[in-house]
Amino acid sequence: MDEPRKRNANRSNVEKKCVDKNSSEKKNSDLTCSKNNNLPLRVFSRIVVITSLLIIVYFSLNDEKIKTFAKQSEMLPGKGQIIECSPEYLKELDKYEGCFPKDCKRFVTDKVISEQEADKLLTIAKKGLELGGSSGGASILDLHSGALSNGEHFVNIYKIAKNLYTENDFNIYRVVKEKVKYAVAHHFGVDRNKIYLTHPTFFSEITSKKSVTVHDEYWHPHVDKETYKSFHYTTLLYLGDYNKDFKGGRFVFVDKNTNNTVEPRKARLSMFTSGRENVHYVEKVSSGVRYAVTISFTCDMQHAIDNPSTDKYKN
């Protein structure tokens, strides 16, 4: 009982100090006591206001900097975004008749390739990739050259696995490639006979494993035309679903004021001009496995490559 009495006595003393002043001091005393009593409430109110403003600014900035261009949850007949071509890209394409784009842009559609075709391609990809695999989180399989990630290096799949693929496998691949080629010609307004499949064209498998070599670091912003000189039109065909088969791994176009993201969806085809107007990167995959096919086209016939076939086993 002594402790409560002490607290009550102290409270009485404080109150008394605030009241028992002569008239000349009372006004200042009242002001001081009022300030002391209101201080915690004012500080708390300011903290609430400042925190609220910071939250609003944070989410406003993120909304401005990151926009979803194509959601996994929506089926897109076609969605495009026209952008200004880079001068270097236009200057080079001016040399190739019938290959100059109507517009530089990026275009996404879920209507060119069927899910059944995507599933067949995924089976083809897994059949080869399971024979190798990078030490890090990114592996590739190139059916044209035979290159397969294996540890920190590459091996030739046609040398290590004779007759792994049938002519039917290659026919499926060729049919999809032709559909993609027609789509590029149509949406960019170029002559389909003036664009050619080029190297590298490959399957990719990305996991959350830590990178080991530079080949595993897929998340750096880059320009396809500067990485691969032969590229003029880039396409990506996704073989799995974002937030279902894997997390992370969105494709991000880096623009001046916003970053526009494409969320992978099985059988979704994304295509874009390969110049500096389309700087991009892939988010790090945080879980699951992300499969896709990069199919690239050139306007330069000297950089054209043949379709893969069982003839690869004869070499």
Side-chain angles (χ1 to χ4, degrees):
M1 293 294 290
D2 288 341
E3 191 62 33
R5 285 176 182 169
K6 287 180 182 178
R7 283 201 290 265
N8 289 334
N10 289 337
R11 187 181 301 148
S12 297
N13 289 335
V14 172
E15 290 172 353
K16 193 172 183 179
K17 286 179 183 177
C18 290
V19 175
D20 294 343
K21 301 284 181 179
N22 58 40
S23 58
S24 63
E25 295 176 343
K26 186 175 181 183
K27 188 177 294 184
N28 291 335
S29 174
D30 290 344
L31 183 60
T32 302
C33 291
S34 175
K35 284 183 179 179
N36 288 338
N37 290 335
N38 291 334
L39 185 60
L41 178 61
R42 287 162 56 193
V43 170
F44 178 75
S45 299
R46 287 180 180 178
I47 290 173
V48 170
V49 171
I50 292 171
T51 303
S52 299
L53 287 172
L54 288 173
I55 291 172
I56 292 170
V57 170
Y58 173 81
F59 283 105
S60 296
L61 286 174
N62 276 293
D63 285 343
E64 289 177 2
K65 291 183 177 180
I66 300 176
K67 292 184 179 179
T68 303
F69 180 68
K71 294 182 179 180
Q72 184 279 332
S73 58
E74 55 187 354
M75 170 70 76
L76 294 175
K79 183 176 182 180
Q81 182 181 17
I82 296 174
I83 49 181
E84 184 178 355
C85 301
S86 66
E88 299 83 4
Y89 181 75
L90 291 181
K91 183 178 180 181
E92 179 170 340
L93 284 190
D94 201 36
K95 299 185 295 185
Y96 304 104
E97 184 180 354
C99 204
F100 200 91
K102 181 180 178 181
D103 299 294
C104 282
K105 61 182 176 182
R106 66 278 305 244
F107 192 87
V108 177
T109 175
D110 298 317
K111 291 294 188 179
V112 173
I113 307 301
S114 70
E115 288 195 13
Q116 291 76 16
E117 288 171 318
D119 284 335
K120 290 177 181 177
L121 284 179
L122 182 57
T123 299
I124 292 170
K126 287 182 174 180
K127 188 159 57 171
L129 286 163
E130 68 183 10
L131 298 179
S134 169
S135 298
S139 302
I140 67 105
L141 168 63
D142 185 337
L143 291 182
H144 299 270
S145 67
L148 170 67
S149 299
N150 188 44
E152 298 181 23
H153 306 284
F154 296 92
V155 294
N156 188 329
I157 195 168
Y158 298 119
K159 301 294 184 183
I160 66 170
K162 291 289 185 180
N163 303 317
L164 177 66
Y165 292 117
T166 66
E167 197 58 43
N168 184 57
D169 291 328
F170 292 123
N171 283 336
I172 293 168
Y173 182 85
R174 285 193 291 267
V175 167
V176 170
K177 184 267 294 182
E178 284 300 313
K179 284 187 174 184
V180 172
K181 181 180 178 181
Y182 273 71
V184 170
H186 173 72
H187 290 292
F188 289 94
V190 299
D191 186 341
R192 63 182 178 84
N193 295 312
K194 298 293 185 178
I195 56 174
Y196 313 94
L197 192 67
T198 194
H199 174 80
T201 287
F202 57 91
F203 291 102
S204 59
E205 177 188 74
I206 303 177
T207 71
S208 59
K209 288 172 64 177
K210 185 178 179 180
S211 64
V212 175
T213 72
V214 67
H215 299 294
D216 301 318
E217 298 179 7
Y218 54 84
W219 53 83
H220 300 298
H222 64 278
V223 176
D224 282 351
K225 189 75 187 70
E226 296 174 5
T227 305
Y228 308 109
K229 298 300 182 184
S230 63
F231 277 37
H232 291 116
Y233 297 96
T234 305
T235 74
L236 287 161
L237 175 61
Y238 297 106
L239 306 180
D241 289 293
Y242 168 73
N243 266 351
K244 292 183 179 180
D245 300 309
F246 57 90
K247 294 188 182 298
R250 294 184 300 174
F251 187 96
V252 184
F253 288 108
V254 181
D255 296 329
K256 185 176 181 180
N257 297 317
T258 61
N259 285 351
N260 286 283
T261 64
V262 176
E263 296 178 355
R265 175 188 173 98
K266 183 187 290 186
R268 170 165 288 172
L269 178 64
S270 175
M271 59 189 88
F272 52 93
T273 46
S274 305
R276 179 156 282 279
E277 64 279 352
N278 277 312
V279 179
H280 61 274
Y281 68 93
V282 175
E283 287 181 328
K284 288 185 178 182
V285 170
S286 57
S287 65
V289 187
R290 178 188 188 271
Y291 290 98
V293 194
T294 298
I295 303 175
S296 49
F297 297 93
T298 184
C299 299
D300 189 346
M301 189 185 297
Q302 293 184 352
H303 292 291
I305 59 175
D306 294 328
N307 290 316
S309 71
T310 52
D311 290 341
K312 292 286 184 180
Y313 294 113
K314 299 176 183 177
N315 299 329

